[in-house]
Amino acid sequence: MEDSDAVPVHVAIIMDGNGRWAKQRGLPRTAGHKEGVKTVKRITKCAANAGVRYLTLYAFSTENWKRSREEVDFLFHLFVEAINGYIGELKENGVRLNFIGDFGPLPYFLKKAMEISKRETKNGKKMMLNIALNYGGRREIIQAVKEICKEKNSSKDINEEMLKQFLYTKDMPDPDMIVRTSGEKRLSNFLLYQSSYSELFFTDTLWPDFSEEEFLAILKEFSSRKRRFGKA
Ligand code: IPE
Ligand code: IPE
Ligand code: MG
């Protein structure tokens, strides 16, 4: 099978448009986030069944602290509720939960739920669901550089593969594709180092409305794209 025919091994998604979805309905932004959790469950199941091995979802960026205190607090509590109510289904579907980001500033109750859910789902073999929480691509790179400075004596040791081992995504392949919903066409600090050869997909659909059908259509389009990685 040609490389281009394959199902992507690693799919990353910038889940955007929850606030606008709610606004369109005259609801508070928080209602959009709640609805967005349902989409997470649908798309996770669909991706695992389609043969995707790693699904990385951008849930909270290092810049999202700029939102109102109420919205940030709501999100953290929603994450805990979503994680706790989701462990059983993840186990049933063979999905292993993992988190990437700078967890230090997150509240203790959320860190605890993250830890427990990781442990509970650690035997999932079908797919890894990777949630980016307080994630920032620049912060990830800076953190890696700091660690490297502490551990290595010589710049001779530094190369691409070695640097990768200091990122949150160590041991994972780079994302083959990145999808962003809601019509925005930017990465917003997502997977900056890892996305160098990712295929990019943008849809106007708001995250709460994003369906399995549309996701499968994007996977199909991926299979028709020709990836060259610099070759002629
Ligand atoms: C994405 O939806 C969810 C998070 C960033 C947590 P938004 O909340 O950014 O929704 P819009 O972009 O305001 O519509
Ligand atoms: C990106 O969405 C972050 C997440 C989806 C978690 P934002 O809504 O925060 O991005 P900007 O501010 O529109 O670039
Ligand atoms: Mg947004």
Side-chain angles (χ1 to χ4, degrees):
M1 192 193 264
E2 277 236 1
D3 214 31
S4 57
D5 292 329
V7 174
V9 176
H10 185 171
V11 174
I13 306 182
I14 302 170
M15 312 184 286
D16 200 11
N18 293 350
R20 277 163 283 171
W21 183 91
K23 193 169 179 211
Q24 281 176 358
R25 287 161 178 76
L27 299 168
R29 294 177 57 80
T30 49
H33 296 315
K34 256 183 124 156
E35 196 66 23
V37 172
K38 296 184 192 162
T39 310
V40 169
K41 296 189 179 185
R42 285 202 307 271
I43 298 302
T44 300
K45 196 167 177 186
C46 182
N49 288 335
V52 171
R53 303 306 306 274
Y54 299 85
L55 177 66
T56 298
L57 302 179
Y58 204 4
F60 193 87
S61 77
T62 48
E63 286 70 40
N64 286 146
W65 294 95
K66 294 175 192 162
R67 298 184 178 201
S68 73
R69 174 82 193 271
E70 288 72 31
E71 183 171 349
V72 171
D73 276 352
F74 179 88
L75 282 169
F76 292 158
H77 284 96
L78 180 68
F79 295 152
V80 171
E81 198 185 297
I83 291 168
N84 289 343
Y86 196 23
I87 295 176
E89 190 179 326
L90 290 174
K91 279 168 110 170
E92 260 170 48
N93 293 324
V95 178
R96 176 178 179 182
L97 196 54
N98 185 57
F99 299 90
I100 57 170
D102 177 10
F103 309 141
L106 296 174
Y108 177 75
F109 64 87
L110 175 54
K111 285 191 267 203
K112 194 85 200 149
M114 289 158 70
E115 215 31 70
I116 293 169
S117 62
K118 251 179 84 160
R119 201 165 57 231
E120 283 282 316
T121 61
K122 71 175 194 309
N123 293 323
K125 297 272 183 289
K126 201 164 170 187
M127 187 179 80
M128 177 181 274
L129 173 60
N130 213 14
I131 307 288
L133 245 176
N134 199 29
Y135 175 89
R138 289 184 172 181
R139 189 169 300 181
E140 179 183 36
I141 292 168
I142 288 168
Q143 171 275 133
V145 170
K146 284 185 176 173
E147 301 254 321
I148 291 169
C149 285
K150 260 192 270 167
E151 283 189 28
K152 308 282 173 187
N153 300 318
S154 161
S155 63
K156 282 209 295 290
D157 300 335
I158 300 174
N159 58 50
E160 288 185 13
E161 279 314 306
M162 181 271 219
L163 195 139
K164 263 182 146 177
Q165 289 309 311
F166 285 86
L167 299 177
Y168 306 137
T169 52
K170 73 174 154 82
D171 303 328
M172 295 177 209
D174 286 341
D176 298 291
M177 57 185 272
I178 297 180
V179 182
R180 183 169 190 149
T181 58
S182 89
E184 310 296 348
K185 294 177 183 67
R186 54 178 171 264
L187 287 176
S188 303
N189 208 7
F190 193 41
L191 301 175
L192 296 184
Y193 189 83
Q194 299 89 334
S195 62
S196 54
Y197 268 99
S198 305
E199 295 290 327
L200 306 178
F201 295 83
F202 299 100
T203 168
D204 288 339
T205 307
L206 303 174
W207 178 249
D209 290 329
F210 191 63
S211 66
E212 288 98 319
E213 290 72 29
E214 186 169 10
F215 182 62
L216 291 172
I218 291 173
L219 292 187
K220 194 159 190 283
E221 191 191 329
F222 171 86
S223 72
S224 70
R225 287 201 191 175
K226 178 124 185 67
R227 303 180 80 191
R228 277 192 286 273
F229 300 100
K231 291 176 290 195

